[in-house]
Amino acid sequence: MNDGGVILRVRALYKTYELGKENLVRALRGASLEVAWSEMLAIIGPSGSGKSTAMHIMGCLDTPDQGEVWLEGRRVDKLKRRELNHVRSRQIGFIFQGFNLIPTFTAAENVALACEYAGMPRRKAKAAAARALTGVDLGDRLSHHPSELSGGQQQRVAIARALVNEPAIILGDEPTGDLDTINSREIMQMMRDINKSTGTTFVLVTHNPEVAATCDRTVCMRDGVVLADEECRPG
Amino acid sequence: MKTVKNVFRRKLRAFLTIFGITIGIFALVVMGSLAEKITLLVNGGTRFYADKVTVSQGGSAGFSVNPISVDRIPAIQAIPGVRLASAGITLPLDKEQSASFGVPAMISASDLRGRNLESFKLTYSQGRELSPDDQGKAVVGADLVQKLNARVGGFIKVRGRSFQVVGILEKTLTIPDDAVIIPFRDAQNIFFNDLPELVQKNINPDMLATGLTIYPKPGVNPDKLAEEIGKKYPQYDAIGPAKFQQQVTNSTHIFTTIVFGVALISLLVGGLSVINTMTMSVYERTREVGIRKSLGASDGRIIRQFLGESAFIGAVGGITGLALGWLFVLVANKAGEASGTVIFLLTTRLAIGSIAFAIVLGVFSGLYPSWHAARLNPVQALRYE
Ligand SMILES: Nc1ncnc2c1ncn2[C@@H]1O[C@H](COP(=O)(O)OP(=O)(O)OP(=O)(O)O)[C@@H](O)[C@H]1O
Ligand SMILES: [Mg+2]
């Protein structure tokens, strides 16, 4: 917990993908980053610079070849599978570009699933899901399936799902990437409000300057390293 | 229920997989019912042959139709250890015996000299037993009632002769079910007519029997006695309980092997099709697994989810297979009753066993695909289209 006001600390991450024998893709080459409690941080950078790779490692979905990840003062990059599942279900919320809802589940079931994985009994999970969906103005869409919802609505379900276990940090990999300008603004405003009211930390990867501008701070990735915003401008 | 929903997401595939198991379990139930019936027959036979020695000439297991002469009885009774020897006749009910499963219908007769020594007691659902001075009377076994259209007081035809039914046997689930018991003298006449003319000329019908039943004195080992009689009369087959047991276990082994074979084949066919279906299902839902893992689902949760589905497939296949098998057994036995050959017996242990087998099969076949799903890398699974 007590990590000098830092909720997420990443030190010198390296990750190399092997495509065949000779073809090595060095996705991360010493990326380091610190995220403060209740901060709303934007990560920008060109395609292929390693943003998603870094997000996956920070979110305990993947492990680095080298480097350290500290979450809420605890080192998490070398945890066992079982412990990683625990961290993912309780300490982190994810929002993806493609929403990633289970198509055969209703909105409420999608959200409740996250509660169940966090160890909540089924009935409580249902109530919590309904509350979370009401919080993103979808109280009247509980039993709709993803295919019956607009893109913006689907992403709001995903936000509700990320929030429902009240994690201290939410990671979003291009959360507005598949949305039009209006929906994009609405979603951004919603996350901004949540951040203000609950103090939940947000780390958002984006290509959208408007989204980045809404955040407290912006960093940039290039060739597998993280640079301060000023260093990003080409030239 | 999510499990049911997920299984039937691909309806045709689900039905085909379930159908595969259904067929396997159906075969298992039908073959198993056959084996259960045989086992029961054999157990009954073992009881029937306990504590005594049967002597016949040629042939096996005492069902010989070679004649043996009744005047041998005094000599055999003189053998030490023999308490009493009784003559009997066992003949096929139909002269032209068609090959069939189970036991063929029989005519059975005895001189009744040993009836007080007999440990295998028959019980009568109607009427009475035969007495030594009955003539032209018959007692009918439970499975032959319908075929012979028998009722107490009425008449039945046995080998063209008319017999009045005086009793109907309670179901024994073994040999007497398929027997018509008639007086010894009448059986001798039928047997005599069966013999070739050449033999007829040299034989006294009053001396005819197909076998002797020998009751040992108390404390005498029937198997030892059989051995002694066999030594003294090498031209006869003397069979004690142990020898009988050995002969029938040989034949029941074949049935056990068949049932195990069917079980194995259904295991292979059904199991492979469940493995295939579950693998496809995991494959199609790779992305869903990725989502679940990103939400922190434990390996156990994912495994349980898919195992639940494969167990469900197994259970549904097992239940429908059992239902079909049960129907088949019911219909086949109903049809068999008319011809006096009831050859299936669906026991509770077989029914429960086959369903349990189907569920275990489903779970077992789902193990690898489920484990595979649980081990998926979440990032790669999420990227999967
Ligand atoms: N599973 C993988 N196997 C092989 N190479 C990979 C894999 N994942 C990522 N890469 C490579 O690693 C590099 C970084 O990819 P990453 O997805 O992190 O980029 P990104 O910054 O998120 O790009 P974008 O803005 O297009 O989403 C790319 O060159 C990509 O091709
Ligand atoms: Mg990316």
Side-chain angles (χ1 to χ4, degrees), chain A residues 80-215:
Chain A
K80 301 205 175 63
R81 291 170 64 86
R82 168 185 294 276
E83 296 166 317
L84 284 176
N85 289 332
H86 197 272
V87 171
R88 283 204 291 270
S89 65
R90 287 167 177 83
Q91 287 180 268
I92 302 170
F94 265 104
I95 304 170
F96 302 91
Q97 177 174 1
F99 319 136
N100 276 347
L101 301 174
I102 296 178
T104 49
F105 281 29
T106 63
E109 286 168 345
N110 264 289
V111 178
L113 197 61
C115 302
E116 283 180 42
Y117 288 157
M120 212 182 271
R122 195 160 276 190
R123 300 191 76 207
K124 267 190 157 180
K126 254 187 156 167
R131 240 180 294 122
L133 283 166
T134 309
V136 294
D137 295 333
L138 287 176
D140 55 344
R141 294 281 192 278
L142 298 185
S143 53
H144 282 56
H145 284 85
S147 58
E148 298 158 343
L149 297 171
S150 74
Q153 287 171 331
Q154 287 186 57
Q155 197 59 306
R156 277 191 272 155
V157 175
I159 291 174
R161 182 177 66 184
L163 275 171
V164 73
N165 292 319
E166 297 174 0
I169 188 165
I170 289 182
L171 305 176
D173 193 353
E174 303 190 41
T176 61
D178 279 1
L179 301 177
D180 60 28
T181 318
I182 297 176
N183 273 310
S184 179
R185 274 186 198 141
E186 190 187 275
I187 291 291
M188 255 335 273
Q189 195 51 53
M190 187 166 270
M191 289 195 281
R192 187 75 254 195
D193 292 345
I194 291 163
N195 168 260
K196 286 250 169 69
S197 61
T198 65
T200 308
T201 311
F202 278 84
V203 178
L204 306 176
V205 168
T206 184
H207 284 290
N208 183 342
E210 202 181 314
V211 169
T214 318
C215 293

Side-chain angles (χ1 to χ4, degrees), chain A residues 15-19 25-28 44-56 62 97 173-174 205-207 221 224, chain B residues 379-380 383:
Chain A
K15 181 82 178 177
T16 302
Y17 292 108
E18 229 172 296
L19 300 169
V25 180
R26 299 172 66 206
L28 294 180
I44 58 170
S47 186
S49 57
K51 304 184 295 294
S52 294
T53 307
M55 289 292 269
H56 292 147
D62 209 349
Q97 177 174 1
D173 193 353
E174 303 190 41
V205 168
T206 184
H207 284 290
M221 283 195 74
Chain B
V379 175
Q380 276 164 19
R383 193 169 304 198

Side-chain angles (χ1 to χ4, degrees), chain B residues 26 30 33-34 101 146 324-345:
Chain B
F26 170 79
V30 170
S33 298
L34 199 60
F101 266 127
Q146 203 182 328
L324 284 182
W326 182 66
L327 210 71
F328 178 89
V329 165
L330 221 63
V331 169
N333 277 352
K334 201 94 217 136
E337 247 168 53
S339 60
T341 43
V342 174
I343 58 169
F344 297 104
L345 181 70

